[in-house]
Amino acid sequence: GLIRYTTENALEGRPSLILRPRVIVYGSLLVAIGAALVISVLLRVPLDIDVVRDRNALYRVAGDGAIENAYTLKIMNKADAARSFRVTLEEELEEEGEDEASVTLAGGAPLEVTVQAGEVLAVPVTLRAPAGHIHGRADVEFIVEAVDEPGVHYEAESRFFGPSS
């Protein structure tokens, strides 16, 4: 009887406490970590994007005088099925009197792409601003949303650069 799996209280005939403070703290931490894992899996957005600016030129001037910036959108479809996405643009208007966005997607219409399940698709995108509308830089936001499920969307900020004067 020298080696036993018991407590000192049980050897002395006193009742043993199974729910000690340490057991309660460790148990509650384990439950909290499990709940956080379940919540993160349930709230996971099956879409991610990265915006990469063209490193060759800060901006370029088109034949009609418009200013263009080139980007590459890397769209990651984390879903189990192929999905179509719509890429739109939103410019953050900083001037008080400005009521219309001056930076648009080249081609005018929203861009639609299909990304296979688990794939990362690189999409070249050109933004365009009429001559004289952008001085310095403007904040823009790319919005990518699933065509078949409007709740699945992702927003990424970037900068549009133009001539400083």
Side-chain angles (χ1 to χ4, degrees), residues 92-140:
E92 296 179 16
L93 303 173
E94 295 179 5
E95 297 179 19
E96 291 291 325
E98 201 169 350
D99 60 350
E100 181 179 314
S102 57
V103 178
T104 58
L105 287 167
L111 179 66
E112 289 196 15
V113 294
T114 300
V115 184
Q116 298 301 317
E119 182 183 25
V120 177
L121 182 66
V123 179
V125 175
T126 302
L127 299 185
R128 186 176 173 89
H133 275 74
I134 299 294
H135 299 289
R137 69 181 177 106
D139 294 330
V140 293

Side-chain angles (χ1 to χ4, degrees), residues 73-91:
L73 291 181
K74 294 189 178 185
I75 303 173
M76 293 164 254
N77 182 9
K78 298 179 185 178
D80 295 333
R83 187 171 262 169
S84 293
F85 296 103
R86 181 179 302 116
V87 178
T88 57
L89 182 74
E90 183 175 306
E91 180 184 3

